[in-house]
Amino acid sequence: MRLFGRKLGSVQVEVSTHCQLNCLMCPKSIFRKDWIHEHMDLDTFRNVPFKLFRYAHLQGWGEPLLNPNIVEMIEIAKREGCSVGITTNGVLLQEFARELANAGIDLVAVSIASPKLEEHRKIRGCDLYEILEGIRLLSEYGIPKIVVTTIMMKNTVKNLSELIKIAKEYGASEVIANNLDYVPSKDLEELKVFSHEDDRELTRILEDAKKVAKNSGVNVVVKPVKLEECLVCAENPIKNCLVTVDGRIAPCVYLHLPTKSDVIRRVFLGREITIPKVYFGNLKETEFKKIWNGRKCKEFRNVFVRRLLVVPGFDFEIPELPEVCKTCYKAYSV
């Protein structure tokens, strides 16, 4: 399946696996002894064919603003005709806000665990007000889109409405409430809010948050909280991909971790699962088009293409998910 007559969707580029924080739910905190700390170098970055994509998100399993070349990287991708965004923990925003604006960045997403000062510090280990002041600076410098992202957990989701109000106050235009969709250890699984069942109290909390957002003029995206298998997950490997810190092409961040092991450990429905990492090739050795049109990559993508071709209401069997996706929560809409 060749898609180069028109642009692909998004490329996620893992520009750094370093992070100065050890957040409660992050795999870096769980697998710290096995973690590979690395910055992507400019030569590897320049091998990414940004002109083939509509959007580039410069962040993987790490903090992008720690890469000493991050501003130049944004400028390179922009020159290739790509919209560019990052997700940051916000610690360095006050230092980088002006530079990000001057580089022409299109979107900055800032991760906040909770609008409660002590709760945020307990989960992320950093000062919430410093991050909020960084968001205010982004707004003052005219960043086109400022997003606050949060992970809905049982101990924080009740404060979503308050977070939306604070996001508005400091200049964000959107709040995205994500799920704890990668669970690296059994200790964390009890924090996820999604399940196979409807939860009336959770539904009420989320509906109230949506009303607050509407009244505040803030766009809010709340990820589904009921597990239902989808034909293609939100990562959409048909037209999106990840470039890892060392130049490998992977379907998504959920099939890659910057660890010394060849496998990924995750918890799915109470079971500890081990799956192999999935890579299709390395940009340091092979140009992107050859990797994308290579047998391994095409076979993986075509599973999802065939799933989309099934006509609802007809007695056609939906092709099974790839084995590595069957125990990923993203494959079940959350």
Side-chain angles (χ1 to χ4, degrees), residues 9 32 46 78 80 127 175 178 180 188 214 228 234 250 260 267 293 330:
R32 66 186 66 188
R46 288 192 179 99
K78 289 289 291 183
E80 292 288 316
D127 186 81
V175 173
N178 291 306
L180 185 62
L188 292 174
K214 185 176 181 179
E228 295 178 313
K260 297 170 187 175
V267 177
N293 286 315
K330 296 299 289 186

Side-chain angles (χ1 to χ4, degrees), residues 31-67:
F31 307 129
R32 66 186 66 188
K33 293 181 180 179
D34 202 31
W35 201 258
I36 297 171
H37 297 86
E38 188 176 355
H39 294 312
M40 180 178 282
D41 59 73
L42 278 174
D43 287 341
T44 302
F45 188 82
R46 288 192 179 99
N47 286 334
V48 181
F50 293 103
K51 63 184 177 183
L52 298 179
F53 293 89
R54 293 187 177 89
Y55 176 71
H57 199 73
L58 308 187
Q59 183 256 348
W61 295 111
E63 170 51 46
L65 295 182
L66 288 175
N67 188 309

Side-chain angles (χ1 to χ4, degrees), residues 100-115:
L100 292 173
N102 290 341
I105 198 164
D106 299 284
L107 179 152
V108 178
V110 186
S111 299
I112 294 178
S114 169

Side-chain angles (χ1 to χ4, degrees), residues 244-256:
T244 70
V245 72
D246 55 356
R248 288 177 288 181
I249 302 296
C252 64
V253 292
Y254 300 93
L255 293 175
H256 155 72

Side-chain angles (χ1 to χ4, degrees), residues 134-151:
I135 293 174
R136 190 193 298 280
L137 276 178
L138 291 176
S139 180
E140 290 177 1
Y141 287 129
I143 301 296
K145 188 168 185 178
I146 304 168
V147 179
V148 167
T149 68
T150 192
I151 295 178

Side-chain angles (χ1 to χ4, degrees), residues 66-277:
L66 288 175
N67 188 309
N69 297 310
I70 185 61
V71 174
E72 186 174 354
M73 288 172 162
I74 294 166
E75 292 169 342
I76 289 169
K78 289 289 291 183
R79 284 197 297 268
E80 292 288 316
C82 209
S83 296
V84 180
I86 63 168
T87 297
T88 172
N89 59 34
V91 172
L92 297 175
L93 270 184
Q94 293 187 60
E95 177 184 339
F96 275 90
R98 184 191 295 270
E99 289 186 84
L100 292 173
N102 290 341
I105 198 164
D106 299 284
L107 179 152
V108 178
V110 186
S111 299
I112 294 178
S114 169
K116 304 293 186 183
L117 180 64
E118 289 308 315
E119 190 170 54
H120 178 87
R121 185 181 294 279
K122 182 178 179 181
I123 294 170
R124 291 198 173 269
C126 58
D127 186 81
L128 175 60
Y129 290 134
E130 290 296 313
I131 294 170
L132 293 173
E133 285 304 316
I135 293 174
R136 190 193 298 280
L137 276 178
L138 291 176
S139 180
E140 290 177 1
Y141 287 129
I143 301 296
K145 188 168 185 178
I146 304 168
V147 179
V148 167
T149 68
T150 192
I151 295 178
M152 295 184 289
M153 297 187 292
K154 286 184 177 175
N155 56 335
T156 63
V157 70
K158 62 183 180 296
N159 298 317
L160 182 57
S161 290
E162 185 178 347
L163 179 61
I164 290 168
K165 294 176 184 177
I166 289 175
K168 171 68 174 180
E169 178 185 348
Y170 281 86
S173 61
E174 183 169 282
V175 173
I176 299 177
N178 291 306
N179 280 298
L180 185 62
D181 47 33
Y182 171 55
V183 182
S185 73
K186 270 197 169 182
D187 293 339
L188 292 174
E189 194 177 35
E190 64 184 27
L191 295 179
K192 63 180 177 61
V193 300
F194 56 85
S195 69
H196 284 103
E197 307 299 328
D198 292 319
D199 183 324
R200 287 188 178 182
E201 177 60 16
L202 177 60
T203 299
R204 183 195 64 77
I205 289 170
L206 299 182
E207 289 303 316
D208 287 349
K210 290 174 185 177
K211 290 176 184 176
V212 168
K214 185 176 181 179
N215 293 335
S216 303
V218 175
N219 187 49
V220 65
V221 178
V222 178
K223 297 299 175 69
V225 291
K226 188 172 182 179
L227 289 167
E228 295 178 313
E229 185 176 332
C230 51
L231 295 176
V232 181
C233 72
E235 302 305 300
N236 194 357
I238 296 173
K239 56 182 180 179
N240 304 330
C241 68
L242 168 75
V243 181
T244 70
V245 72
D246 55 356
R248 288 177 288 181
I249 302 296
C252 64
V253 292
Y254 300 93
L255 293 175
H256 155 72
L257 271 185
T259 54
K260 297 170 187 175
S261 173
D262 292 329
V263 299
I264 295 171
R265 298 200 331 257
R266 61 191 183 199
V267 177
F268 181 75
L269 300 179
R271 296 180 294 130
E272 292 182 336
I273 306 292
T274 301
I275 61 156
K277 297 175 181 178

